[in-house]
Amino acid sequence: MRLSRQGYLREVVMRYSTVLLCGVVLIQLFSAQIDAQRSRSRWQTLSGDAPLVIARGGFSGLLPDSSLDAYSLATQTSVADVVLWCDVQLTKDGVGICFPDLNLANASTIDLVYPNHKPKSYPVNGVTRQGWFTIDFSLGDLQNVSLIRGILSRSDKFDGNGYAISTIQNVAEQISPQGGFWLNVQHDAFYEQQNLSMSSFLLSASTTVSIYFISSPEVNFFMKIAGSFGRNGPSFVFQFLEKEDFEPTTNQTYGSILSNLTFVKTFASGILVPKSYILPLNDKRYLLPHTSLVQDAHKAGLQVYVSGFANDVDIAYNYSSDPVSEYLSFVDNGNFSVDGMLSDFPLTASSSIDCFSHIGRNATKHVDFLVISKNGASGDYPGCTDLAYENAIKDGADVIDCSVQMSSDGIPFCSSSIDLKDTTMVVQTPFSKRSTTVPEISPNGGIYTFNLTWPEIQNLTPAISNPYKVYDMVRNPEKRNAGKLMSLSQFLGLAKNSTTLSGVLISVDNAAYLREKQGLDVVKAVLETLTESGYSNGTTTTKVMIQSTNSSVLVDFKNQSKYETVYRIEETIRDISDSAIEDIKKFANAVVINKVSVFPNSDSFLSKHTNVVERLQKSQLPVYVELFQNEFVAQAYDFFADATVEINTYTYGASINGTITEFPFTAARYKRNRCLGRDKIPQYMLPIQPGGLLDIVSPLF
C-alpha cells in the first residue's frame, strides 16, 4: 500500500525515534574511538587518515565537467586515491550519465544539435525550471551532443573538442580510478515523478562500477536504498544545500536538520556541506570564527566533506588569493580537519594535503631560491609602506625591495612610482594642484615626487594596488589605505634589525632626468644613506643589491661601491647572444627578466621554454624573474589558477634563482614543500610542460 505524504513523514519520525536511543549510545562509543585514533595520527579527521580529494566532474576547473579528458586529467595530477565525482542524471530510457545538471543546456551543445527542439518546463522541488532536460532524450539522442564549459568565466578553448556525454559505466571502463566513484543524486524525487528509478539504476551499476560513495540532498532517497547494497556497499553521504533551502522529504530547512545530526546518522555515514557551514564569511568577505560543525559531526560518528572549492572564484580576503591557504584552513588549523574536499581543481587539493599540510615556518627547505618582495607584501597592503615591509619579513621574504624616489628637498624614499597618484590618495588633497606634465617620464599629467617635500609626502595616505580591478578583483579592502610611507633610511633600518633577511634590493630609475632637470642626484643620495645606515662599514651582514633598467646607473654604483648590481631587462626576450651577455657582465652581477621571457605564451597557454635562463646562468649571472602574483587571472591556464603551480614550474622546472613577488608568503611556503624532499616527486608537484595544454586546444580556435 502506498503511503500518503503525511503517512510517510510519520513513518520517518517513528524510525528516527526508535533509533535515537541507540544513536546516543553509538555516539558515546564513537567519541572514545575517535579520541584514540587522533592520538596516533597528525590528522584530525574521523578516521585519522588524510582527507580525501574528490574531483568534481574530474578536473572540471579546466576541461568540460564530466568529460573523459577531465576525469583522466584528475587521475593523472592528483593523489593516487582521488575519488571521481559524477552527478548522475537519467535519460529517457533510464540510462545513467555523468552530467552536472538536470538541464543539458547548462554545459552542452544540446541547443545546437536540436535547434528545433523547444525547451520544456518541469517542476523541480516546487520550482518551475525550463530547459532541455535529460529525461526528454534517450542515450542515442545524445550521441552527437558535446560537453562544453558550464561556467562562462572559464576558457572556451576546449569547447570544440567534441567531448561526448558518457555513461557511468563508460567512464569506469575508460578511467578505472583507484579511489573509486562518488555518485551524486541531485533530484531523485524528480526522476520518480517521471517514472524513472534512480535506486534501480544504481543497484545495477554497482555490479560493474566501483561506487565508494553515494550522496543526495533528499532524505527519502536514503530511506529507499537503505540496506540495498549490503554491508560492503558504498558510504551514504547526506548533502546539505544552503541553510535556508527546504529538504523535500521532511519539509525542514537544511539549517534545521543541521541541529539533528543524530537523525542524519540513522541513514548516512557522512555529510557534505558548503564551505560556509564551517568557515563562514561576513558581508565584506572576511572570515568569521569557525563553527563547531566538524567536531559535532565527528562526535556523532559522521564524516564531514566540504563542497565549493575552486581556484578561479573569489575566496575570503584572508587567503590573499591563494587557494592552497584556503584548503589548509579546512584540514590543518589545529582544531579540526574535514574528511574530504570536493574540488574543481583536484591538483591543488592534492598538493595542499600531501605537500603543505603540517609544516611549520621552520621546516626544512627543500629548494633554494631567493624570495624577493615587490614593494613589500604589496598584494596585501599598500606597497612600500611599513606594513608591507614588516609583513614581507614575517611572511618569509629573503630580500625586501625599495624603489627609490626623490622628494623636492632631496630625501630618498620608497615608492613604486614616481607619480604619487599611482600609490597614494594625493588627488584628494590640495597637492592635486601640483599636477604637471613631464614628457621625459609620461605623456600624461602626474603629481610627481620631486614636486613635494618629504614632510608633505610622508603624511599622504597610501593606496593599495589593484591591478585586476577590471575583473572586479580587489585586494584586502580593509587595509587599502593602511600603513605609512618609508624613507630609504627607515627602510634600511628595518632591514638591518631583521634576523631573517639576507638582503635588500634597491631600485633606481629616472636618475638622468632627476639629475639634469631637477638637480637631484639619486645615486649620491642612495650611497650616502647606505653609509649612514651602516651598510658600507661591515656592521651588517645584510647584502645590498642595486637594480636599474639603465646600465649607466649601474656603472655609477659599480664605480663608487662594492654593492652587487642587478640589470632589469624591461622588454621580453626569447634568446640572448653571447655578446649581449658579455656586455651585461661588465656592469651587472645578476639579471631580472619577466616571466614571458622564460615561458612564452599564446592566448594565455604556455607555448615553449626558452634557453634564456640557462644561457645567463652558464655565464655566472643569477636570474631573478618577475612578477609573481596570486590572482589566478595573472597566470597562464597551464598553472591551473594556482600560484604555487606557477612558482614550482619556474623554480623547480626552469631553475630560476629568485622570484620577485607581491605575495612573499606563497613563495616562502613553497620552499618548505615536503614533496620536493622525496626520491619520487608526485605528479601534482612536477613542473608544467609548456605546450601540453596548447596541444589539446580545440582546432576551432
Side-chain angles (χ1 to χ4, degrees), residues 25-74:
V25 174
L26 286 172
I27 287 170
Q28 293 174 343
L29 293 174
F30 268 117
S31 296
Q33 293 172 355
I34 292 165
D35 290 341
Q37 289 171 338
R38 287 176 179 165
S39 66
R40 298 189 298 268
S41 170
R42 61 179 175 148
W43 292 108
Q44 293 177 290
T45 54
L46 182 64
S47 65
D49 296 330
L52 288 178
V53 175
I54 308 148
R56 193 185 73 85
F59 210 126
S60 57
L62 180 72
L63 300 173
D65 190 309
S66 304
S67 63
L68 286 177
D69 274 6
Y71 284 123
S72 178
L73 183 61

Side-chain angles (χ1 to χ4, degrees), residues 416-551:
S416 61
S417 173
I418 195 170
D419 185 354
L420 292 167
K421 293 203 307 332
D422 298 335
T423 59
T424 72
M425 306 299 291
V426 68
V427 293
Q428 298 180 8
T429 73
F431 301 129
S432 61
K433 297 177 181 178
R434 300 192 192 179
S435 178
T436 58
T437 300
V438 180
E440 295 93 331
I441 297 176
S442 171
N444 303 314
I447 305 173
Y448 293 105
T449 63
F450 48 78
N451 287 330
L452 277 74
T453 65
W454 172 238
E456 291 172 331
I457 292 171
Q458 66 179 339
N459 288 319
L460 292 175
T461 300
I464 200 167
S465 170
N466 284 307
Y468 302 109
K469 200 169 184 178
V470 66
Y471 300 107
D472 292 325
M473 299 176 69
V474 297
R475 293 172 169 176
N476 199 7
E478 284 192 351
K479 301 294 183 182
R480 61 181 178 272
N481 299 123
K484 294 288 185 181
L485 294 175
M486 300 186 77
S487 67
L488 178 60
S489 177
Q490 292 169 326
F491 167 84
L492 292 172
L494 175 67
K496 188 176 181 181
N497 291 330
S498 169
T499 58
T500 58
L501 287 177
S502 63
V504 293
L505 176 69
I506 299 173
S507 299
V508 177
D509 287 301
N510 299 306
Y513 171 82
L514 290 172
R515 184 189 306 115
E516 295 167 8
K517 299 298 178 70
Q518 299 297 329
L520 296 169
D521 192 334
V522 63
V523 174
K524 180 181 178 182
V526 168
L527 289 171
E528 287 179 349
T529 306
L530 282 166
T531 300
E532 293 167 1
S533 301
Y535 280 77
S536 62
N537 55 14
T539 60
T540 177
T541 58
T542 306
K543 182 169 70 172
V544 175
M545 296 184 286
I546 306 294
Q547 173 184 278
S548 182
T549 58
N550 192 314
S551 60

Side-chain angles (χ1 to χ4, degrees), residues 211-248:
I211 306 173
Y212 287 12
F213 299 88
I214 295 177
S215 61
S216 177
E218 299 180 6
V219 171
N220 185 32
F221 170 73
F222 292 106
M223 295 301 183
K224 288 194 302 183
I225 65 173
S228 300
F229 290 88
R231 183 172 297 178
N232 297 320
S235 298
F236 295 161
V237 179
F238 181 58
Q239 181 181 12
F240 283 79
L241 303 182
E242 296 303 321
K243 289 183 178 180
E244 64 275 11
D245 291 341
F246 282 86
E247 192 282 318

Side-chain angles (χ1 to χ4, degrees), residues 29-338:
L29 293 174
F30 268 117
S31 296
Q33 293 172 355
I34 292 165
D35 290 341
Q37 289 171 338
R38 287 176 179 165
S39 66
R40 298 189 298 268
S41 170
R42 61 179 175 148
W43 292 108
Q44 293 177 290
T45 54
L46 182 64
S47 65
D49 296 330
L52 288 178
V53 175
I54 308 148
R56 193 185 73 85
F59 210 126
S60 57
L62 180 72
L63 300 173
D65 190 309
S66 304
S67 63
L68 286 177
D69 274 6
Y71 284 123
S72 178
L73 183 61
T75 59
Q76 293 172 33
T77 60
S78 306
V79 288
D81 61 350
V82 62
V83 181
L84 299 186
W85 168 284
C86 165
D87 284 303
V88 186
Q89 314 297 344
L90 294 179
T91 61
K92 182 167 63 177
D93 45 350
V95 178
I97 60 173
C98 292
F99 194 82
D101 193 73
L102 279 171
N103 188 352
L104 289 164
N106 289 346
S108 81
T109 58
I110 188 74
D111 55 333
L112 299 178
V113 175
Y114 294 101
N116 298 322
H117 189 289
K118 294 182 179 180
K120 290 188 176 182
S121 297
Y122 289 98
V124 181
N125 289 344
V127 178
T128 300
R129 292 179 57 183
Q130 187 179 61
W132 286 263
F133 290 81
T134 60
I135 59 170
D136 294 322
F137 300 88
S138 68
L139 182 63
D141 294 334
L142 299 177
Q143 186 174 1
N144 295 320
V145 178
S146 300
L147 295 167
I148 59 175
R149 59 179 174 152
I151 298 175
L152 295 180
S153 59
R154 291 175 174 168
S155 175
D156 62 352
K157 295 297 191 292
F158 308 103
D159 286 355
N161 284 348
Y163 291 121
I165 295 175
S166 297
T167 65
I168 295 168
Q169 291 87 343
N170 187 35
V171 175
E173 290 171 1
Q174 298 292 324
I175 307 299
S176 300
Q178 179 180 320
F181 285 91
W182 182 311
L183 303 187
N184 183 51
V185 179
Q186 298 169 328
H187 300 289
D188 174 66
F190 171 78
Y191 288 114
E192 187 175 38
Q193 292 165 5
Q194 311 304 319
N195 297 315
L196 291 169
S197 176
M198 182 65 76
S199 54
S200 295
F201 168 76
L202 293 176
L203 282 169
S204 174
S206 67
T207 62
T208 57
V209 178
S210 298
I211 306 173
Y212 287 12
F213 299 88
I214 295 177
S215 61
S216 177
E218 299 180 6
V219 171
N220 185 32
F221 170 73
F222 292 106
M223 295 301 183
K224 288 194 302 183
I225 65 173
S228 300
F229 290 88
R231 183 172 297 178
N232 297 320
S235 298
F236 295 161
V237 179
F238 181 58
Q239 181 181 12
F240 283 79
L241 303 182
E242 296 303 321
K243 289 183 178 180
E244 64 275 11
D245 291 341
F246 282 86
E247 192 282 318
T249 306
T250 62
N251 203 33
Q252 297 181 42
T253 64
Y254 288 98
S256 176
I257 296 175
L258 191 67
S259 62
N260 292 303
L261 293 177
T262 48
F263 170 53
V264 176
K265 180 60 181 172
T266 64
F267 59 84
S269 62
I271 58 176
L272 174 65
V273 299
K275 293 183 296 186
S276 60
Y277 273 49
I278 298 169
L279 287 173
L281 306 182
N282 64 19
D283 57 1
K284 295 181 179 179
R285 228 176 76 214
Y286 286 91
L287 288 173
L288 295 171
H290 69 80
T291 68
S292 62
L293 174 58
V294 177
Q295 294 96 324
D296 294 342
H298 283 172
K299 287 179 182 178
L302 289 165
Q303 293 184 309
V304 181
Y305 304 97
V306 188
S307 63
F309 289 96
N311 296 1
D312 57 352
V313 297
D314 290 334
I315 57 178
Y317 288 114
N318 309 67
Y319 301 128
S320 302
S321 300
D322 175 17
V324 174
S325 291
E326 183 183 39
Y327 285 106
L328 291 176
S329 71
F330 283 86
V331 299
D332 180 20
N333 56 45
N335 296 301
F336 61 82
S337 173
V338 301

Side-chain angles (χ1 to χ4, degrees), residues 566-585:
V566 180
Y567 182 48
R568 178 171 173 261
I569 302 175
E570 290 184 282
E571 63 270 18
T572 296
I573 56 176
R574 296 289 191 270
D575 196 1
I576 188 165
S577 65
D578 291 338
S579 59
I581 293 174
E582 289 305 311
D583 286 342
I584 291 172
K585 290 181 68 176

Side-chain angles (χ1 to χ4, degrees), residues 323-360:
V324 174
S325 291
E326 183 183 39
Y327 285 106
L328 291 176
S329 71
F330 283 86
V331 299
D332 180 20
N333 56 45
N335 296 301
F336 61 82
S337 173
V338 301
D339 299 278
M341 297 181 287
L342 177 62
S343 175
D344 293 10
F345 292 82
L347 178 148
T348 303
S350 298
S351 65
S352 300
I353 291 169
D354 191 31
C355 305
F356 296 107
S357 63
H358 305 109
I359 56 172

